[in-house]
């Protein structure tokens, strides 16, 4: 009988318990439904919503932006960087999101947005961002502290939905939300470390990706999940990963797969039962064309029927795959020493100026 490589060989690699935090993600989402802004955000007439954040904190904005594109009359865009886009002003809602509250780019965007008369709200667990929100009397959702931003997506995402709803922008009705939470709860039981690889989709995918560079493709809703997979593989498994979207990749990237180096890359297509027929055809054709040169080609399907369930289930699966890839690579999924070192050096450079 073949033995599960995760059970025997990876002991001691997760001393801080990232697996427990991942397993608790569905209940984190339920708890997050109770988090709200104080003071509340009032209903406003908006022409644009901008979610400002970096890294693990910005992802909730990507999710909302994807969900909003065919549901809301105003665009939701994500701003990652210093300052603010020229379009920000009265009529814009800027939600500054930083789990730690210490991210300088996000603080600078909030300051710029306030200077231009935008409506603003803040999502954070504390830090300078919480202090600024309190000083300016801004709606502030105070998040439970102690997690890593990338493992706090439930706390970041659901209150962001709630903020938009207070502003009159409803993105997901209660039944759609409840279905998503139920699917996540089922997945939490199916993907955890105690389930052997033969019966665990996340472990199987991690084993298939082992030794290759993942290239994750999505389209529309799933393109957002593809980007999240890439960043989770990088931060959790400390492995370079890439993402792309269809149909765009068929107009450029597909040529790159002809290179003999493509044997070191594994393409993962995030599918969606609701994707356009044209996209489904492209996934099939693209897979056929790159199969001979790629190190592997895999398709992954979401769970549930509603858009929220489909999106969150793909993201949750990717988080677990990244976790198991970390274990297979012999790395602790929790720390991000390179990210911390950049931040440390930035602070040092700033204090010398
Ligand atoms: C670390 C992580 C990073 C941070 C980013 C911004 O787990 O995910 O991508 O999210 O460095 O920091 P915060 O989220 O605190 O604003």
């Amino acid at each position: 009988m073949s033995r599960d490589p995760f059970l025997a060989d990876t002991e001691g690699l997760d001393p801080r318990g990232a697996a427990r935090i991942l397993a608790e993600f569905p209940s984190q989402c339920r708890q997050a439904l109770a988090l709200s802004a104080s003071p509340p955000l009032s209903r406003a007439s908006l022409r644009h919503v901008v979610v400002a954040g970096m890294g693990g904190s910005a992802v909730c904005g990507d999710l909302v932006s994807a969900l909003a594109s065919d549901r809301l009359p105003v665009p939701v865009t994500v701003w990652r960087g210093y300052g603010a886009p020229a379009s920000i002003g009265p009529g814009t809602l800027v939600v500054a999101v930083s789990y730690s509250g210490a991210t300088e780019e996000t603080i600078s965007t909030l300051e710029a947005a306030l200077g231009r008369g935008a409506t603003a709200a803040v999502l954070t667990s504390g830090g300078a961002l919480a202090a600024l929100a309190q000083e300016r009397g801004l709606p502030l959702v105070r998040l439970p502290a102690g997690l890593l931003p990338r493992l706090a997506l439930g706390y970041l995402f659901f209150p962001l939905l709630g903020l938009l709803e207070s502003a009159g922008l409803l993105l997901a009705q209660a039944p759609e939300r409840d279905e998503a939470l139920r699917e996540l709860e089922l997945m939490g039981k199916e993907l955890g470390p105690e389930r052997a690889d033969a019966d665990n989709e996340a472990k199987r995918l991690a084993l298939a990706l082992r030794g290759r560079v993942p290239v994750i493709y999505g389209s529309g809703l799933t393109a957002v999940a593809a980007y999240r997979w890439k960043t989770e593989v990088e931060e959790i498994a400390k492995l370079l990963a890439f993402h792309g979207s269809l149909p765009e990749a068929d107009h450029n990237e597909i040529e790159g797969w002809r290179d003999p180096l493509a044997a070191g890359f594994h393409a993962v297509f995030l599918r969606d039962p609701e994707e356009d027929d044209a996209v489904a055809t492209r996934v099939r054709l693209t897979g056929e064309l790159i199969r001979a040169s790629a190190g592997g080609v895999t398709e992954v399907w979401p769970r549930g029927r509603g858009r929220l369930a489909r999106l969150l289930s793909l993201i949750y699966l990717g988080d677990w795959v990244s976790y198991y890839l970390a274990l297979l690579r012999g790395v602790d999924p929790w720390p991000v020493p390179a990210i911390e070192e950049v931040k440390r050096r930035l602070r040092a450079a700033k204090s010398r100026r």
Side-chain angles (χ1 to χ4, degrees):
M1 201 174 82
S2 70
R3 66 183 175 70
D4 182 340
F6 297 95
L7 296 180
D9 305 342
T10 57
E11 222 150 274
L13 279 176
D14 181 19
R16 295 169 187 82
R20 183 179 46 80
I21 307 289
L22 276 176
E24 287 169 0
F25 178 67
S27 64
Q28 179 190 127
C29 293
R30 284 207 186 272
Q31 286 166 38
L33 295 175
L35 299 173
S36 58
S38 171
L41 179 68
S42 355
R43 225 183 153 81
S45 149
L46 298 170
R47 53 179 175 77
H48 188 188
V49 176
V50 175
V51 179
M54 303 300 302
S57 288
V59 174
C60 64
D62 293 330
L63 268 56
V64 164
S65 172
L67 292 166
S69 64
D70 61 357
R71 223 170 252 196
L72 292 187
V74 296
V76 178
T77 55
V78 183
W79 177 257
R80 293 173 159 91
Y82 293 94
S87 59
I88 284 187
T92 314
L93 167 65
V94 175
V95 186
V97 186
S98 166
Y99 183 71
S100 64
T103 300
E104 60 178 32
E105 297 95 316
T106 312
I107 295 170
S108 90
T109 303
L110 179 61
E111 284 168 341
L114 290 171
R116 300 225 207 114
T119 302
V122 168
L123 275 168
T124 185
S125 68
L129 197 61
L132 179 58
Q134 278 170 332
E135 189 187 305
R136 304 293 293 261
L138 304 176
L140 165 65
V141 184
R142 176 82 70 162
L143 309 173
L147 292 178
L148 294 166
R150 63 182 185 274
L151 297 181
L153 184 61
Y155 286 145
L156 295 161
F157 172 68
F158 283 97
L160 180 58
L161 282 190
L163 270 175
L164 263 56
E165 199 174 328
S166 329
L169 303 170
L170 179 64
L171 266 174
Q173 306 274 0
E176 183 176 356
R177 215 184 47 204
D178 294 345
E179 187 222 2
L181 293 175
R182 280 196 308 276
E183 290 296 340
L184 292 178
E185 276 155 3
L186 287 174
M187 290 176 78
K189 295 192 182 89
E190 290 170 20
L191 304 180
E194 57 295 333
R195 271 278 181 110
D197 59 333
D199 205 17
N200 185 322
E201 187 182 8
K203 287 185 177 179
R204 278 204 312 275
L205 280 165
L207 286 165
L209 290 170
R210 174 151 65 169
R212 303 269 190 271
V213 174
V215 185
I216 323 294
Y217 289 107
S219 180
L221 198 64
T222 62
V224 171
Y227 178 67
R228 164 76 173 188
W229 275 56
K230 163 202 152 60
T231 59
E232 289 292 84
V233 168
E234 287 164 342
E235 285 193 46
I236 294 180
K238 284 77 179 166
L239 169 68
L240 271 179
F242 298 89
H243 77 116
S245 66
L246 287 172
E248 180 63 18
D250 284 349
H251 297 272
N252 33 60
E253 207 164 309
I254 192 166
E255 290 294 340
W257 284 98
R258 300 173 62 195
D259 189 292
L261 283 177
F265 293 73
H266 188 127
V268 178
F269 291 97
L270 303 186
R271 305 295 306 272
D272 184 359
E274 301 288 323
E275 70 200 3
D276 285 350
D277 289 348
V279 169
T281 306
R282 278 183 184 274
V283 173
R284 181 174 55 75
L285 292 178
T286 308
E288 280 169 19
L289 284 167
I290 70 174
R291 198 171 298 274
S293 54
V297 177
T298 301
E299 290 189 9
V300 171
W301 291 86
R303 316 277 181 105
R305 298 171 64 88
R307 291 187 329 150
L308 206 53
R310 290 174 0 245
L311 181 56
L312 289 177
S313 64
L314 280 176
I315 284 180
Y316 194 31
L317 177 62
D319 287 3
W320 276 114
V321 171
S322 306
Y323 174 81
Y324 292 122
L325 265 177
L327 300 190
L328 288 175
R329 289 167 50 74
V331 301
D332 182 344
W334 192 279
V336 279
I339 295 176
E340 311 249 306
E341 183 59 14
V342 174
K343 290 184 182 179
R344 198 189 61 71
R345 291 187 190 198
L346 271 169
R347 282 194 299 273
K350 227 169 157 182
S351 68
R352 281 198 297 273
R353 282 208 295 267

